[in-house]
């Protein structure tokens, strides 16, 4: 099969599409024939060496949509099942940017009925990150939440999930993204002017750190999306950062919300797997709204 990997760190040109052995599923694993796999900022981090692994061939890709084509013992999945999954891991020989990927059976959920594979592939990593970050905040219905980076993939899902829970959401984004974030369910919008201590909680998808922490009231809560970038706690603010975990049951709940129209799957552009370098170059340019998706 073909797979996108890096064997040395660098810019988009470091990505190589190579021939690799088709992986075999072990007990409690399934193999998915990949129909589409999203490209995320974490993939750029892996490509640049942020997570280590020098001297190894490292696979790329965390999100997958496709069809189960083989299973190991002790799984409830069957060949032919259309699924989505989170292929979790920073430094691994193969990722989801391949023609086949093996994942734990409990990381898998049935694919949305209302979306094609290209759109479905944008769900697992970003929606699970948003949902698990909201869990850290423990905001009740009616609580006030500021989502930074609200027009991005994680931020957009966070806005929709929080609004669905009855949380009062303010979106922080670029001025030209106001219409977008309001369409996702933000009750209010700001382009950057935020009064200190004015929110019960902040979900910091833009990784603003201490700036965003200042906008939380005394005794409130802050959730980041990169553990190493979380600011130090102050003023009794509870500070946490999500370390996203694969969770097929939770992913199934998110799929249900897609099918109910609560969550919006946003694709910026799809590329053939053979054009992985071009996709990485587009991601590096910035300003992408929705996810870039690779199609084997």
């Amino acid at each position: 099969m073909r797979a996108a990997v890096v064997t040395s760190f660098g810019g988009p040109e470091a990505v190589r599409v190579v021939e690799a052995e088709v992986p075999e599923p072990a007990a409690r694993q399934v193999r998915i024939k990949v129909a589409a796999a999203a490209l995320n900022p974490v993939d750029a981090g892996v490509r640049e060496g942020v997570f280590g692994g020098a001297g190894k061939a490292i696979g790329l890709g965390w999100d997958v949509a496709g069809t189960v084509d083989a299973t190991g013992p002790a799984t409830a999945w069957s060949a032919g099942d259309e699924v989505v999954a989170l292929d979790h891991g920073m430094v691994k020989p193969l990722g989801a940017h391949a023609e086949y990927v093996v994942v734990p059976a409990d990381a898998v959920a049935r694919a949305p009925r209302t979306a094609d594979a290209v759109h479905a592939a944008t769900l697992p990593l970003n929606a699970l990150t948003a949902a698990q970050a909201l869990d850290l905040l423990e905001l009740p219905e009616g609580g006030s939440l500021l989502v930074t980076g609200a027009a991005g993939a994680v931020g957009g899902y966070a806005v929709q999930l929080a609004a669905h829970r009855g949380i009062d959401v303010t979106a922080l984004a670029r001025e030209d993204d106001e219409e977008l974030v309001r369409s996702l369910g933000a009750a209010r919008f700001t382009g950057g002017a935020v009064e200190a201590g004015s929110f019960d909680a902040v979900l910091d998808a833009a990784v603003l750190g201490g700036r965003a922490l200042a906008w939380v009231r005394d005794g409130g809560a802050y959730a980041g999306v990169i553990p190493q970038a979380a600011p130090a706690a102050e003023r009794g603010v509870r500070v946490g950062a999500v370390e996203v975990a694969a969770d097929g049951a939770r992913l199934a709940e998110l799929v249900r919300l897609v099918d109910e129209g609560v969550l919006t799957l946003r694709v910026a552009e799809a590329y053939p797997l053979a054009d992985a370098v071009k996709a990485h170059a587009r991601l590096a340019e910035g300003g992408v709204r929705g996810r870039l998706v690779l199609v084997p």
Side-chain angles (χ1 to χ4, degrees), residues 155-203:
Y157 284 132
V159 169
Q160 290 189 306
L161 288 168
H164 183 63
R165 296 182 187 183
I167 293 169
D168 183 21
V169 182
T170 298
L172 173 63
R174 297 176 182 173
E175 296 288 350
D176 55 2
D177 285 321
E178 179 175 0
E179 182 178 353
L180 168 63
V181 296
R182 286 190 181 275
S183 75
L184 297 175
R188 274 167 288 283
F189 170 83
T190 177
V194 182
E195 184 178 345
S198 52
F199 292 94
D200 294 329
V202 169
L203 195 159

Side-chain angles (χ1 to χ4, degrees), residues 44-293:
V46 170
R47 185 197 76 221
E48 293 166 356
V50 172
F51 307 106
K56 303 177 181 178
I58 304 171
L60 300 168
W62 289 51
D63 283 315
V64 59
T67 304
V68 173
D69 91 310
T71 66
T75 74
W77 297 99
S78 301
D81 289 341
E82 294 185 1
V83 296
V84 290
L86 177 64
D87 179 26
H88 188 281
M90 295 290 187
V91 180
K92 53 198 176 185
L94 292 170
H97 294 171
E99 293 179 312
Y100 294 88
V101 64
V102 167
V103 298
D106 62 4
V108 178
R110 292 199 180 276
R113 301 185 311 275
T114 56
D116 61 22
V118 170
H119 284 79
T122 67
L123 181 71
L125 175 59
N126 295 289
L128 282 170
T129 299
Q132 293 169 11
L134 284 170
D135 291 346
L136 290 177
L137 294 174
E138 299 178 345
L139 261 182
E141 183 176 349
S144 62
L145 172 68
L146 176 69
V147 177
T148 74
V154 172
Y157 284 132
V159 169
Q160 290 189 306
L161 288 168
H164 183 63
R165 296 182 187 183
I167 293 169
D168 183 21
V169 182
T170 298
L172 173 63
R174 297 176 182 173
E175 296 288 350
D176 55 2
D177 285 321
E178 179 175 0
E179 182 178 353
L180 168 63
V181 296
R182 286 190 181 275
S183 75
L184 297 175
R188 274 167 288 283
F189 170 83
T190 177
V194 182
E195 184 178 345
S198 52
F199 292 94
D200 294 329
V202 169
L203 195 159
D204 188 17
V207 197
L208 301 180
R211 279 183 63 205
L213 181 65
W215 299 327
V216 182
R217 64 166 174 78
D218 293 359
Y222 167 100
V225 296
I226 301 178
Q228 302 90 334
E234 61 179 45
R235 299 180 290 106
V237 175
R238 185 164 43 83
V239 172
V242 63
E243 294 193 56
V244 67
D247 184 340
R250 189 66 177 281
L251 184 55
E253 294 175 11
L254 296 167
V255 167
R256 177 179 57 81
L257 293 177
V258 170
D259 286 335
E260 292 176 357
V262 174
L263 294 181
T264 304
L265 305 174
R266 294 185 288 150
V267 173
E269 192 171 353
Y271 292 81
L273 178 62
D275 288 342
V277 170
K278 293 181 180 178
H280 275 258
R282 176 65 190 92
L283 181 65
E285 290 173 4
V288 177
R289 291 294 172 258
R291 278 284 169 251
L292 305 172
V293 179

